Amino acid sequence: MTIKPVADRVLIKTVEAEETTQSGILLAAAAQEKPQIAEVIAVGPGGMVEGVEVGMFLKPGDKVIVGKYTGTQVKVGQDEYTIVRQSDVLAIVE
């Protein structure tokens, strides 16, 4: 099964959280912060959204920063993805 976003939505996969601190201390799963950096897997075509023309500037492979509790969680097989609106993306990581 494949997921193809519609309108101004973007399919992202979060980058795994760090399991150790910079000083080498191993963190328990509960102590790890929810990652905010994600990789763009697929983007919708854009188009008219709420009466406004939306152009897509993100592309698959981009690394982005999103809000901690943004989007809809989707699980396909063993992989977990999040679907967000392009406007929910806070920044592109270069």
Side-chain angles (χ1 to χ4, degrees):
M1 171 172 40
T2 60
I3 299 174
K4 185 175 180 180
V6 297
D8 67 333
R9 290 179 175 79
V10 180
L11 181 69
I12 59 174
K13 185 172 184 176
T14 56
V15 177
E16 295 298 320
E18 292 292 325
E19 295 182 8
T20 58
T21 64
Q22 289 181 346
S23 60
I25 298 172
L26 188 63
L27 296 173
Q32 295 174 10
E33 289 187 27
K34 182 176 177 185
Q36 293 179 310
I37 297 179
E39 180 178 357
V40 175
I41 304 300
V43 297
M48 294 297 286
V49 177
E50 298 176 8
V52 177
E53 182 72 26
V54 175
M56 301 302 284
F57 57 84
L58 295 173
K59 60 188 179 305
D62 283 347
K63 300 280 189 208
V64 296
I65 297 176
V66 295
K68 285 187 179 186
Y69 305 105
T70 302
T72 301
Q73 309 298 322
V74 178
K75 187 169 184 177
V76 177
Q78 298 296 324
D79 296 322
E80 292 185 19
Y81 301 99
T82 304
I83 299 173
V84 299
R85 287 187 177 271
Q86 181 172 253
S87 61
D88 291 334
V89 173
L90 304 173
I92 298 174
V93 179
E94 295 182 340

